[in-house]
Amino acid sequence: MASLKEYLKYYKDLSFQETPLNDVDSMIFTQLVYADFKDVIPKEKGNYILFSDAMRLFLKKYNESKKVPRFLKEVYSLIDILKNARRYENIKLYYYIKMVDAEKQFCAFTLRFDGKVYVAFEGTDTSIIGWKEDFMLTNTFPVPAQRFAIQYLNNTVGFFDKEVYIGGHSKGGNLAMTSAMLSSTRVRMKIKNVYNFDGPGFRRKEFESSSYRRMEQKLRMFVPEDSTIGMLLLHTSNYHVVKSTASGVWQHDPFRWECFGGIFVPGNLSNRSKSLEKSNLDFISSLNDQERSKIIEVVFSVFDKLGITDTSQIKLPKLNQAITLVKEIQSIDSEIRKKIITLLKIMVKGM
């Protein structure tokens, strides 16, 4: 079966009139937002750059001689294909916002074409603050990135826009859902589809809210057979499982997902993912808000002691070291210590 890049070999020169916007196009947009388009895509809403020009300028600024993070190599390769793709060449790209600090990791841009508006939210990058925000989703709503996503969507959709599509991969999928749930009525009425590609869900309070139920009617959620991130928290039961050529946690990488034309190839959720889903929900539901806050504080304090600044450093040896350090902390309640160790063991299980 085909991958994202193979899809482009056959469809990159077909217009949206010949082949309408589909799920694979949406995934491509949500992968592009991971690239650093600073000084390429305008920050202003009233200014724009054409898609092909943006891809070429990006490649000129960030050439192969520069060190590329492992998780971005496929994205850079994708951009190289897209620079000559007639299907996307006249899309207008604008309103590029990227913010990373001690509180949040947020990035988004807007694509406008054929009377449609597509808002793409970046997922968790390799910064530790991005991962901390993922943890905070279990205890806080909205987290800073979610607040910015709501504001961004309201700001980017114009009065005369008719069709709005929103999407994201990983945490970006959660931001897409959140922005659709809590956008203004003016914007909400224009939304056609919300795409969540293997992104985490919500706490029970948000999951059972009327705003979630309203958004769920427009939601298209996709997870790989061996999903980890997409099994976090409460989520729709009406999700699509996709076959992947990777194994384990690497299935989170959409460049390994299989597609046939603009459709993802259906698969079956693995027993490991089903077990992980139950473990996560059982663990989270066993905690009160105070316990969740304390656990997040201790876990990221331990990561700091271990010198973890990037999520690529979180591997089995580091997690085992973290468990040892937690056992040695005397200043925390013994029950909290047990629960932190339980969480770290769940993370080991997900590796």
Side-chain angles (χ1 to χ4, degrees):
M1 290 294 176
S3 64
L4 293 185
K5 291 180 184 178
E6 288 165 330
Y7 163 81
L8 287 173
K9 288 182 183 178
Y10 297 99
Y11 289 85
K12 68 184 181 71
D13 291 328
L14 295 178
S15 70
F16 287 108
Q17 286 73 38
E18 294 171 296
T19 302
L21 179 71
N22 58 55
D23 299 334
V24 180
D25 290 318
S26 182
M27 173 63 88
I28 288 169
F29 296 157
T30 65
Q31 292 310 290
L32 285 179
V33 75
Y34 280 107
D36 185 0
F37 281 102
K38 181 183 177 183
D39 300 325
V40 174
I41 300 175
K43 297 178 182 178
E44 304 81 15
K45 289 178 289 182
N47 197 5
Y48 68 86
I49 184 172
L50 290 179
F51 190 96
S52 294
D53 293 339
M55 300 304 110
R56 294 188 184 105
L57 180 57
F58 176 88
L59 292 171
K60 182 178 179 181
K61 289 174 63 66
Y62 302 95
N63 58 64
E64 293 181 0
S65 66
K66 290 195 173 186
K67 186 177 179 181
V68 179
R70 178 181 175 182
F71 87 107
L72 281 179
K73 286 183 178 179
E74 292 282 17
V75 177
Y76 280 47
S77 177
L78 183 70
I79 290 172
D80 190 52
I81 298 171
L82 289 169
K83 71 179 187 293
N84 294 317
R86 287 192 295 170
R87 178 172 180 79
Y88 310 105
E89 64 181 355
N90 291 319
I91 291 177
K92 296 176 180 178
L93 288 167
Y94 64 100
Y95 198 23
Y96 179 76
I97 301 293
K98 186 174 182 67
M99 296 177 286
V100 180
D101 56 32
E103 287 189 337
K104 61 187 173 294
Q105 173 247 323
F106 174 84
C107 182
F109 62 53
T110 301
L111 306 96
R112 188 183 296 273
F113 58 102
D114 293 349
K116 298 177 177 63
V117 173
Y118 194 106
V119 178
F121 290 110
E122 183 187 26
T124 305
D125 61 13
T126 60
S127 67
I128 201 67
I129 184 59
W131 225 53
K132 187 174 183 179
E133 274 195 306
D134 286 347
F135 271 69
M136 289 171 61
L137 293 175
T138 67
N139 189 52
T140 307
F141 185 87
V143 298
Q146 288 172 323
R147 289 200 298 271
F148 277 100
I150 298 163
Q151 179 182 336
Y152 182 95
L153 182 63
N154 282 332
N155 286 344
T156 198
V157 176
F159 182 82
F160 295 105
D161 292 326
K162 295 180 179 179
E163 290 185 29
V164 175
Y165 300 81
I166 316 166
H169 168 253
S170 195
K171 186 185 74 177
N174 178 278
L175 298 183
M177 293 190 295
T178 301
S179 65
M181 286 166 58
L182 299 179
S183 60
S184 67
T185 302
R186 172 186 66 83
V187 172
R188 200 164 57 239
M189 297 295 288
K190 300 171 185 284
I191 297 172
K192 300 300 179 183
N193 286 122
V194 180
Y195 287 92
N196 174 12
F197 294 107
D198 205 29
F202 296 97
R203 305 180 307 171
R204 186 166 299 279
K205 181 179 179 181
E206 287 72 49
F207 181 71
E208 294 180 347
S209 68
S210 58
S211 59
Y212 176 86
R213 296 301 173 199
R214 183 173 54 227
M215 180 279 301
E216 189 179 29
Q217 298 172 16
K218 301 177 181 181
L219 178 62
R220 292 185 62 74
M221 180 175 176
F222 296 84
V223 301
E225 293 180 302
D226 220 6
S227 174
T228 298
I229 305 300
M231 294 296 103
L232 297 177
L233 300 175
L234 294 168
H235 49 261
T236 181
S237 58
N238 188 29
Y239 54 79
H240 305 271
V241 181
V242 181
K243 281 187 175 294
S244 171
T245 58
S247 60
V249 294
W250 296 110
Q251 288 196 9
H252 187 57
D253 177 2
F255 286 93
R256 302 293 175 263
W257 291 15
E258 296 184 12
C259 60
F260 184 77
I263 301 170
F264 287 107
V265 177
N268 297 298
L269 197 67
S270 70
N271 289 331
R272 189 195 74 89
S273 286
K274 292 176 183 176
S275 174
L276 188 62
E277 179 180 32
K278 186 177 186 306
S279 297
N280 282 322
L281 292 178
D282 288 348
F283 176 72
I284 291 167
S285 63
S286 73
L287 306 174
N288 59 43
D289 288 348
Q290 187 175 7
E291 287 174 325
R292 291 192 189 105
S293 294
K294 186 63 178 178
I295 287 171
I296 293 170
E297 175 190 332
V298 172
V299 166
F300 283 89
S301 173
V302 167
F303 285 173
D304 185 57
K305 287 181 180 178
L306 290 172
I308 295 174
T309 58
D310 189 281
T311 56
S312 63
Q313 299 170 282
I314 303 176
K315 297 178 180 178
L316 287 178
K318 287 287 187 182
L319 288 176
N320 287 327
Q321 288 178 48
I323 290 172
T324 300
L325 281 179
V326 170
K327 288 178 179 178
E328 296 172 352
I329 299 175
Q330 301 299 316
S331 60
I332 57 175
D333 180 80
S334 60
E335 286 302 311
I336 288 290
R337 183 183 296 108
K338 289 178 183 177
K339 290 179 178 180
I340 293 172
I341 292 172
T342 297
L343 172 62
L344 291 171
K345 286 181 176 178
I346 289 173
M347 291 170 64
V348 168
K349 184 178 178 182
M351 297 300 287

